[in-house]
Amino acid sequence: RRRQRYVEKDGKCNVQHGNVRETYRYLTDIFTTLVDLKWRFSLLVFILAYAVTWLFFGLIWWFIAYSRGDLDHLEDHAWTPCVNNLNGFISAFLFSIETETTIGYGHRVITDQCPEGIVLLLLQAILGSMVNAFMVGCMFVKISQPNKRAETLVFSSHAVVSLRDERLCLMFRVGDLRDSHIVEASIRAKLIRSKQTQEGEFIPLDQTDLSVGFETGDDRLFLVSPLIISHEIDERSPFWDVSRQQLEKDDFEIVVILEGMVEATGMTCQARSSYLVDEVLWGHRFTSVLSLEDGFYEVDYGSFHHTFEVPTPSCSARELAAAPA
């Protein structure tokens, strides 16, 4: 049967949060909630935030003019209104827009005979600045998110198992399609599979670290050209007792995570991918993609995912280590 992926090839996590009762927690961090919204909803909130405040204050400006009797003295030049040339709700709405956006066309202007209007003007100026700071900040953060940068970080379509320095290794390849580099790049790998403890507890998605060089520092990458990441199958590896036949019958997922800082912006970027059992090729090795040209190295990304078969023992790493030399 086809296994349900925990992480898709493009890095999307197949986890949905259902039956969340404490939804008020989203409102306590409204800024992050708005940033995480899809673009169409973010634009809708952006438009509504301004439109609602303009309408709200426009209604108050109209109410002040109505309650003071300014609308009844439109033709009385001796009357001093709260706002000159405000003759209805539409003009009050336009004055609200001019006030909050500091456009100031000069046709409608507040007078010094209206203390309540001066207080309202101060409140709208302060609230308008807060709305501008909040909404522009949300849009700036959303635009500058490094999600698109992660799409130019690529993983090989398959992982391979073969010998390296006479030791069985699980390997996959990573690369960066851009000329600008990922600074302080690091790589991690997780084995995801079901597990039952000795006490009988069933863990459906147990996570186990796969060492890709944390002890030696090999997990920190200088990702200028494609690199082959290797997990040595030793006595600490969960694949220590797994042979080729057992691997084909097993059910697991390997999640790989590449992260670092974008050189151009300094923001943290993370790219993810995963490999199911049928995407792990036993007895294969990656085709070389790097060649030396006249004064530079050239990377052929057309062969990035290509592998070829090599002689590899079908036994487990434990049996290989115990075999006589």
Side-chain angles (χ1 to χ4, degrees):
R1 66 182 179 86
R2 181 181 180 274
R3 176 185 170 93
Q4 175 62 50
R5 284 187 182 273
Y6 188 57
V7 177
E8 293 287 352
K9 285 300 228 180
D10 59 1
K12 180 183 177 182
C13 298
N14 283 325
V15 177
Q16 295 185 5
H17 300 283
N19 198 23
V20 179
R21 299 182 182 275
E22 298 179 348
T23 54
Y24 69 89
R25 295 181 182 271
Y26 293 106
L27 298 179
T28 59
D29 187 15
I30 187 65
F31 185 85
T32 304
T33 301
L34 291 178
V35 171
D36 289 341
L37 288 176
K38 294 182 178 180
W39 266 108
R40 55 180 176 270
F41 297 118
S42 294
L43 292 175
L44 178 62
V45 171
F46 185 84
I47 294 171
L48 287 177
Y50 286 103
V52 169
T53 54
W54 293 340
L55 285 170
F56 174 72
F57 282 102
L59 182 62
I60 297 178
W61 285 114
W62 174 85
F63 179 76
I64 290 176
Y66 176 80
S67 61
R68 293 180 79 254
D70 294 345
L71 302 180
D72 298 327
H73 298 81
L74 296 178
E75 304 299 331
D76 187 356
H77 298 288
W79 180 266
T80 303
C82 183
V83 179
N84 287 330
N85 300 303
L86 194 153
N87 51 23
F89 176 74
I90 299 299
S91 59
F93 176 65
L94 292 175
F95 179 71
S96 175
I97 296 176
E98 295 172 19
T99 301
E100 192 165 327
T101 58
T102 65
I103 294 175
Y105 289 118
H107 182 63
R108 276 173 290 272
V109 60
I110 191 171
T111 64
D112 57 1
Q113 302 297 317
C114 183
E116 62 270 32
I118 296 175
V119 173
L120 180 61
L121 181 66
L122 293 174
L123 290 176
Q124 185 170 6
I126 294 173
L127 183 62
S129 298
M130 294 173 62
V131 171
N132 283 332
F134 190 83
M135 298 310 303
V136 172
C138 285
M139 298 303 292
F140 175 78
V141 171
K142 193 169 183 65
I143 291 172
S144 59
Q145 281 183 319
N147 296 342
K148 296 300 180 181
R149 179 64 176 92
E151 294 183 5
T152 54
L153 299 173
V154 292
F155 298 87
S156 56
S157 57
H158 292 82
V160 300
V161 176
S162 61
L163 289 175
R164 216 179 219 196
D165 295 329
E166 300 183 350
R167 292 178 178 270
L168 276 178
C169 294
L170 171 71
M171 294 170 283
F172 56 93
R173 182 147 59 187
V174 297
D176 187 0
L177 302 180
R178 285 190 178 272
D179 292 331
S180 60
H181 302 155
I182 295 294
V183 182
E184 296 291 334
S186 62
I187 189 77
R188 290 181 292 150
K190 293 276 189 181
L191 177 65
I192 311 292
R193 63 179 173 187
S194 59
K195 173 185 175 181
Q196 188 164 4
T197 66
Q198 296 180 0
E199 295 77 16
E201 179 187 3
F202 179 72
I203 305 175
L205 294 173
D206 182 62
Q207 299 186 13
T208 305
D209 276 324
L210 296 179
S211 175
V212 288
F214 177 77
E215 298 84 358
T216 61
D218 291 338
D219 63 324
R220 295 188 291 273
L221 311 178
F222 182 48
L223 195 58
V224 178
S225 61
L227 299 175
I228 296 176
I229 309 302
S230 175
H231 163 66
E232 183 179 325
I233 304 178
D234 55 16
E235 58 274 6
R236 296 172 298 175
S237 171
F239 299 112
W240 176 240
D241 294 311
V242 177
S243 64
R244 180 172 186 171
Q245 290 73 20
Q246 291 172 319
L247 180 72
E248 294 173 351
K249 299 177 183 179
D250 208 342
D251 187 15
F252 62 82
E253 181 176 355
I254 299 172
V255 176
V256 292
I257 305 167
L258 174 63
E259 59 185 357
M261 290 189 301
V262 181
E263 186 179 40
T265 63
M267 300 185 69
T268 302
C269 173
Q270 185 181 95
R272 298 178 295 266
S273 188
S274 69
Y275 302 97
L276 298 180
V277 175
D278 55 358
E279 294 169 342
V280 179
L281 306 178
W282 190 289
H284 282 245
R285 187 180 298 164
F286 286 107
T287 304
S288 176
V289 296
L290 197 64
S291 61
L292 178 60
E293 302 297 332
D294 186 14
F296 63 93
Y297 292 94
E298 183 176 359
V299 178
D300 178 19
Y301 277 100
S303 304
F304 182 84
H305 302 284
H306 293 176
T307 64
F308 61 95
E309 292 190 45
V310 292
T312 305
S314 298
C315 62
S316 66
R318 178 191 288 273
E319 296 170 338
L320 183 63

